[in-house]
Amino acid sequence: MSFCRVALLLAFTHIAYTAQPSAPEPVAAPLRELPWAQLNFLHTTDTHGWHGGHLQEPQYSADWGDYISFAQHLRKRADDDGSDLLIVDTGDRVEGNGLYDGSHPKGLYTFDILGEQQIDIMTVGNHELYLKNASENEYYQTVPKFKYAYVSSNVDIQNPDSGELEPLAPRFRKFTTKNQGIRILAFGFLFNFKGNANNTFVENVKNTVEEKWFQDAIRSRDVDLFVVAGHVPVRDSLEYDLIYKTIRKVAWDTPIAFFGGHTHIRDYRKYDSQAYGIESGRYMETLGF
């Protein structure tokens, strides 16, 4: 099937409402209509445990619960008018805020909070891999909670029970959107990270894209849109440039949506007329739409 437009990041949406009693009143800001399309995305990255929002910064005062509510309203809008909404998170959900770091064990509360959101495509970040217990938390808690939404194209973990190396999560995900029937092929990458604990293995992206499973996947004929989600910058990135060129060698005109992370900035990139990428800030300050 073909579809006329995918809304990637025509607007960065600042979260601006909270129900927490101790939070300040949100700062009023000029608003404009979201450019709604047949297929729409919400994107978070590098939240680093800031699920409680920024209680001392009114312009960033909304929390994860507000995000869940916002997403539910947009999903209803999509169901009402027959369009689709997909929610993407590209890693570094841990380390950096007291809600995560101050509990014993770390992340005691945040895994349940995170799991209240319905995420369609999720990837790992480097902060999930620095410590052995952090990657095992992903393996035992986050991956099972999100099931097929979690995609790990180039990260393996040593199974804590068997000691064998295995993919942290499925290498890719193929699915069809609920209302428009758009056929999606999604990958989940991490940049060529070398600082991980010795119970995990990050394969160089150059090697990954040459593997048979990846080459077979990108040659699938029943794909309307490639989604490349990853903890990878969208700009000046050897990894994403290589993935883009590899896909284009065999699928020269199929749309590609890139979702990035890691550099903690709001960014947007046009690869070609059918391929665009966004990176949606940090610390729950920004939602990418």
Side-chain angles (χ1 to χ4, degrees), residues 83-110:
S83 57
D84 284 301
L85 176 73
L86 298 179
I87 297 180
V88 181
D89 183 90
T90 50
D92 273 13
R93 294 169 290 273
V94 306
E95 299 178 346
N97 179 272
L99 184 61
Y100 176 87
D101 296 338
S103 66
H104 299 284
K106 289 185 177 183
L108 178 63
Y109 309 108
T110 56

Side-chain angles (χ1 to χ4, degrees), residues 20-33:
Q20 293 188 68
S22 59
E25 289 295 321
V27 176
L31 299 176
R32 58 189 173 92
E33 288 293 317

Side-chain angles (χ1 to χ4, degrees), residues 22-236:
S22 59
E25 289 295 321
V27 176
L31 299 176
R32 58 189 173 92
E33 288 293 317
L34 294 176
W36 199 252
Q38 287 176 273
L39 177 59
N40 308 274
F41 292 90
L42 284 175
H43 177 223
T44 52
T45 189
D46 295 274
T47 50
H48 286 287
W50 285 86
H51 301 103
H54 298 252
L55 300 183
Q56 297 180 346
E57 298 176 276
Q59 71 271 32
Y60 302 124
S61 61
D63 59 29
W64 193 256
D66 296 313
Y67 178 36
I68 293 170
S69 177
F70 181 61
Q72 288 172 343
H73 284 290
L74 290 193
R75 285 191 189 276
K76 183 178 185 304
R77 173 176 176 176
D79 288 340
D80 288 346
D81 68 13
S83 57
D84 284 301
L85 176 73
L86 298 179
I87 297 180
V88 181
D89 183 90
T90 50
D92 273 13
R93 294 169 290 273
V94 306
E95 299 178 346
N97 179 272
L99 184 61
Y100 176 87
D101 296 338
S103 66
H104 299 284
K106 289 185 177 183
L108 178 63
Y109 309 108
T110 56
F111 294 111
D112 288 337
I113 294 170
L114 176 71
E116 293 298 314
Q117 179 64 286
Q118 182 182 339
I119 297 175
D120 300 287
I121 302 169
M122 172 181 279
T123 71
V124 70
N126 55 297
H127 274 262
E128 280 84 19
L129 302 183
Y130 278 119
L131 300 175
K132 180 180 178 181
N133 69 324
S135 59
E136 290 186 350
N137 279 336
E138 289 295 292
Y139 182 84
Y140 281 124
Q141 298 196 55
T142 310
V143 172
K145 191 180 296 289
F146 289 95
K147 298 179 181 175
Y148 298 110
Y150 206 123
V151 186
S152 179
S153 298
N154 69 323
V155 175
D156 294 337
I157 188 169
Q158 189 178 47
N159 185 304
D161 299 316
S162 70
E164 297 296 321
L165 206 62
E166 63 183 54
L168 175 63
R171 294 300 195 202
F172 63 92
R173 182 186 181 198
K174 290 184 76 173
F175 64 101
T176 301
T177 62
K178 177 181 178 182
N179 298 318
Q180 288 284 318
I182 298 168
R183 299 168 297 181
I184 306 287
L185 175 55
F187 300 103
F189 280 92
L190 177 63
F191 70 92
N192 294 329
F193 178 55
K194 300 183 184 301
N196 50 300
N198 62 9
N199 69 317
T200 56
F201 173 71
V202 182
E203 185 172 31
N204 189 289
V205 171
K206 183 179 184 298
N207 296 330
T208 302
V209 299
E210 294 173 353
E211 290 185 352
K212 185 177 185 301
W213 72 261
F214 186 84
Q215 290 291 327
D216 288 346
I218 62 176
R219 284 171 168 78
S220 300
R221 294 176 179 261
D222 56 343
V223 175
D224 299 312
L225 173 69
F226 293 102
V227 175
V228 181
H231 201 71
V232 183
V234 296
R235 190 180 304 274
D236 301 324

Side-chain angles (χ1 to χ4, degrees), residues 5-10 35-42 259 289:
R5 192 174 70 172
V6 176
L8 287 181
L9 193 66
L10 300 179
W36 199 252
Q38 287 176 273
L39 177 59
N40 308 274
F41 292 90
L42 284 175
F259 294 90
F289 175 83

Side-chain angles (χ1 to χ4, degrees), residues 250-263:
V250 300
W252 65 271
D253 65 344
T254 304
I256 311 173
F258 287 89
F259 294 90
H262 186 57
T263 58

